[in-house]
Amino acid sequence: MRRRTFLAALPASLAAGSALAQIPRPKDGNPEIGRTDLRGGDRVAGATWASRSTAWGVNGAAATAHPLATLAAIDTLRKGGSAVDAAIAANACLGLLEPIACGIGGDCFVLLWDPKTRKVVGLNGSGRSPKGLSLATVRERAGPSGTIPSFGAVSVSVPGAVAAWGDLHGRYGKLPWKDLFDPAITIAREGAPITQNVAFYLAASQRRFTNPNSKIEEVENFLKVWTIDGKTPVEGQVFRNPALANTYEMIARGGPRAFYEGEIASRIEAYFKRIGGWMTKADLAAHHSEWTPPLVTGYRGVDVYGLSPNSQGLSTLQLLNILENFDVKAMGFQSTAAIHHAVEAKRLAYEDRARYFADPAFSPAPLEWLNSKAYAKQRAALIRPDRILDPIYPGQAPSKGDTTYFTVADKDGMMISIIQSNYRGMGSGLSPDGMGFMFQDRGELFALTDGHPNVYAPDKRPFQTIIPGFAVKDGQPWLSFGVMGGDMQPQGQAQIISNMVDFDLDITAAGDSPRWHHEGGMEPTGEQLGVQGILRLESGVPAVTREGLQKIGWKIGASDGGFGGYQAIQRWPGRYAAATEMRKDGIALAY
């Protein structure tokens, strides 16, 4: 997956080093003080590393990666909307306000607590590859590494987000569909100031898309929508997207199918025909989401849920199943032993991810076996406390026949955990004529190896990195959460659960806690990124822990900004707690 992190949207010259190093030092008058020598102020309560206090409320809560999206969600709840209504309104806003992570050109996955049935339900809103694009053609377009290019028409699969919104609203919505788009349409027409992270990644996307080596069929539409006088907007500059406002108005008037049929679909087909792509109106019309029963595992008294493949949600559950075999709490918070065992659990789980995860309509995975405690115990027995496992392999199954995350909760007890993405930053680099959004590049995640479960085929869903998280405790909804960021997501989700369950951290401290991110091993694309890989640690990880990991043999990489973005809502008796983190631009609110 070639470093599926926040830095995936950056040019090679920038991604090779630390993103943090590109940010100027504060003008404090002392050139001897570097950024890593400075820390925030001292808190009088709570964890010393926490960036803020948790937001509390009794009627509802929302946590997103942008303040205006969170406000849109809260306003929708106050008008009598359900958590689903508020989530759709927020997501529409994020497509405008956080285009470097999401939009209606991408896919969507959901875990939701239904208070009427008292169950967690799942929705797979991922799209399929164009029916007219053959494996032979994709192989002709493959890059030097023998993988599908990161950008351009060959990487585009059918966007599933709008259909997922429609399915959610049809089952759980309270307010009229058209009203949900009012906040986003207003902001798109009147404009809003660009936030810090969005400005950073917009500029990076421009550099990447306009690089001649990107081989994107056209970039004029990107430049027309997302640049002002040839440059992407800087932090604080007001940005408008009237083309997206027009598209939203068509969807608001025509319903969710308006995206897949009628004028929008016709314009999308005409665009791909113009640039030599493959997506057609028939591909769009055939798209549908799938309600799917989520997988679940127990972790020390908490039931953790994940979506089955083609999602990577099972990786979180496998990672936790392996960790449960060790006394992580006794190892110590942020200790060498705790991180070492967790990274080894990740490596083992990700080998299975590379071997088995794909569209189940083409290659069903042995889910029950992969998620079993017995199998996890076998895998845990391979881990040694004083050395790195090498070689490492996937398990042998028994024989038989850059993304945005947000969460909303309402007064009726419904909690929705939703993640939506264009995949690699702003996606494929392609923006349809006059529509104001980018197409995802999820098709990049297919393999091209004959016999691989995830090998490309027409009308097939690629392996997906985006996963919502949810946890239940004592039969009651406990935590709606997510950690966006490519292959970081299962790693981040497991760290959040361990922080809260093993070390009793609150919802905010659990997210602000320093993280680790391991890169390497076999990928679902068929790539081998190094057996041992690289272990990246945030600067807050204690020096003694860093030294201990190096003594075991881990190759420690730079802290590069690829540690995910977290939002969460926790259910308490009669109230909600909501949290976000300092790595993103968003806020959490409750009322």
Side-chain angles (χ1 to χ4, degrees):
M1 300 223 298
R2 290 163 289 187
R3 294 208 49 220
R4 313 290 194 207
T5 69
F6 288 138
L7 298 185
L10 299 183
S13 61
L14 184 56
S18 169
L20 299 179
Q22 311 303 317
I23 303 172
R25 291 178 177 175
K27 296 179 179 179
D28 51 24
N30 186 349
E32 297 180 358
I33 298 178
R35 292 187 75 254
T36 58
D37 299 321
L38 296 170
R39 294 290 185 269
D42 297 329
R43 294 180 60 84
V44 298
T48 57
W49 64 84
S51 59
R52 68 196 85 192
S53 301
T54 298
W56 290 88
V58 296
N59 294 310
T64 84
H66 195 286
L68 293 181
T70 302
L71 287 171
I74 294 295
D75 287 344
T76 303
L77 293 175
R78 287 181 177 273
K79 292 176 182 176
S82 68
V84 160
D85 291 329
I88 295 170
N91 202 169
C93 289
L94 288 167
L96 165 76
L97 299 166
E98 196 191 19
I100 50 88
C102 65
I104 55 175
D107 285 342
C108 179
F109 287 81
V110 174
L111 288 172
L112 178 146
W113 174 262
D114 185 337
K116 292 183 178 179
T117 63
R118 302 198 59 76
K119 291 182 178 179
V120 178
V121 298
L123 181 66
N124 181 328
S126 60
R128 295 159 179 82
S129 55
K131 292 184 177 69
L133 178 58
S134 68
L135 175 59
T137 300
V138 174
R139 282 177 168 158
E140 290 174 1
R141 302 297 180 99
S145 63
T147 58
I148 297 174
S150 301
F151 308 106
V154 75
S155 70
V156 179
S157 52
V158 173
V162 177
W165 295 351
D167 290 333
L168 288 165
H169 184 262
R171 184 178 288 192
Y172 298 109
K174 288 185 176 181
L175 299 180
W177 168 264
K178 63 181 180 61
D179 293 354
L180 306 182
F181 294 86
D182 287 345
I185 291 170
T186 298
I187 297 171
R189 294 211 181 280
E190 296 180 358
I194 292 290
T195 55
Q196 189 174 81
N197 281 318
V198 171
F200 180 82
Y201 289 111
L202 276 175
S205 294
Q206 182 180 10
R207 291 192 294 271
R208 190 62 177 266
F209 294 157
T210 55
N211 186 322
N213 294 327
S214 70
K215 299 181 179 180
I216 300 173
E217 286 84 352
E218 68 88 21
V219 296
E220 290 78 12
N221 286 352
F222 167 83
L223 296 172
K224 185 182 298 183
V225 175
W226 283 279
T227 65
I228 302 172
D229 297 328
K231 296 181 179 179
T232 55
V234 298
E235 180 184 3
Q237 188 173 359
V238 174
F239 172 72
R240 298 173 179 84
N241 190 341
L244 183 60
N246 294 336
T247 302
Y248 279 164
E249 285 182 339
M250 286 190 282
I251 295 171
R253 291 194 309 266
R257 294 307 301 177
F259 185 87
Y260 302 93
E261 302 167 11
E263 180 182 352
I264 295 177
S266 296
R267 291 170 67 175
I268 290 173
E269 180 180 63
Y271 172 72
F272 279 105
K273 185 176 181 179
R274 177 172 76 81
I275 67 171
W278 296 270
M279 190 180 298
T280 66
K281 191 172 181 179
D283 292 323
L284 292 162
H287 174 74
H288 61 277
S289 311
E290 290 185 0
W291 294 101
T292 178
L295 304 172
V296 61
T297 194
Y299 184 75
R300 310 192 207 280
V302 172
D303 292 326
V304 183
Y305 288 77
L307 290 172
S308 57
N310 56 323
S311 160
Q312 64 173 340
L314 177 56
S315 294
T316 299
L317 310 188
Q318 286 190 279
L319 207 163
L320 292 171
N321 281 340
I322 295 171
L323 274 185
E324 197 175 31
N325 290 273
F326 303 99
D327 190 347
V328 176
K329 185 174 184 177
M331 293 177 183
F333 179 60
Q334 293 287 326
S335 69
T336 296
I339 293 179
H340 169 70
H341 283 76
V343 175
E344 290 287 64
K346 174 267 176 184
R347 293 177 69 219
L348 289 164
Y350 275 43
E351 288 296 310
D352 288 338
R353 185 187 74 148
R355 168 64 181 83
Y356 295 107
F357 291 14
D359 186 341
F362 286 76
S363 183
L367 302 180
E368 184 177 353
W369 170 72
L370 288 168
N371 195 32
S372 69
K373 297 294 186 181
Y375 176 58
K377 187 174 183 179
Q378 295 173 9
R379 301 292 270 173
L382 300 174
I383 298 176
R384 296 292 179 265
D386 58 347
R387 63 181 184 272
I388 299 170
L389 182 60
D390 186 10
I392 190 167
Y393 301 103
Q396 183 61 46
S399 299
K400 61 180 296 184
D402 267 54
T403 301
T404 193
Y405 172 82
F406 53 103
T407 177
V408 182
D410 65 27
K411 60 182 178 59
D412 296 321
M414 183 180 294
M415 301 174 68
I416 181 170
S417 177
I418 180 168
I419 194 160
Q420 201 267 303
S421 173
N422 286 348
Y423 181 49
R424 181 184 285 273
M426 295 191 76
S428 64
L430 298 175
S431 178
D433 299 329
M435 304 296 285
F437 66 89
M438 303 291 291
F439 285 109
Q440 65 183 358
D441 56 349
R442 285 286 168 185
E444 177 189 358
L445 294 182
F446 281 116
L448 294 179
T449 306
D450 286 334
H452 194 290
N454 189 43
V455 66
Y456 177 85
D459 199 30
K460 182 178 181 179
R461 293 174 297 186
F463 164 78
Q464 281 274 358
T465 58
I466 57 176
I467 53 173
F470 206 95
V472 171
K473 191 173 184 179
D474 299 327
Q476 302 293 327
W478 182 62
L479 188 68
S480 177
F481 75 111
V483 182
M484 60 79 65
D487 74 327
M488 178 64 197
Q489 293 179 58
Q491 302 180 55
Q493 286 191 359
Q495 289 175 67
I496 295 296
I497 291 294
S498 181
N499 284 345
M500 295 183 70
V501 175
D502 293 320
F503 299 110
D504 299 319
L505 297 187
D506 66 40
I507 188 174
T508 299
D512 282 340
S513 172
R515 294 192 192 127
W516 54 266
H517 176 206
H518 180 263
E519 303 167 1
M522 186 63 71
E523 295 292 334
T525 57
E527 296 173 271
Q528 172 55 260
L529 300 185
V531 175
Q532 179 180 328
I534 297 174
L535 177 58
R536 300 186 185 275
L537 305 173
E538 288 193 302
S539 60
V541 174
V544 64
T545 297
R546 187 182 301 268
E547 293 167 2
L549 291 166
Q550 288 175 319
K551 288 180 181 178
I552 291 175
W554 289 108
K555 181 180 179 180
I556 306 299
S559 176
D560 62 359
F563 297 91
Y566 160 83
Q567 280 85 35
I569 296 175
Q570 186 178 15
R571 178 68 174 173
W572 290 74
R575 60 202 188 277
Y576 292 112
T580 183
E581 60 168 49
M582 74 291 204
R583 300 173 186 86
K584 301 288 284 182
D585 295 328
I587 59 171
L589 294 174
Y591 75 104

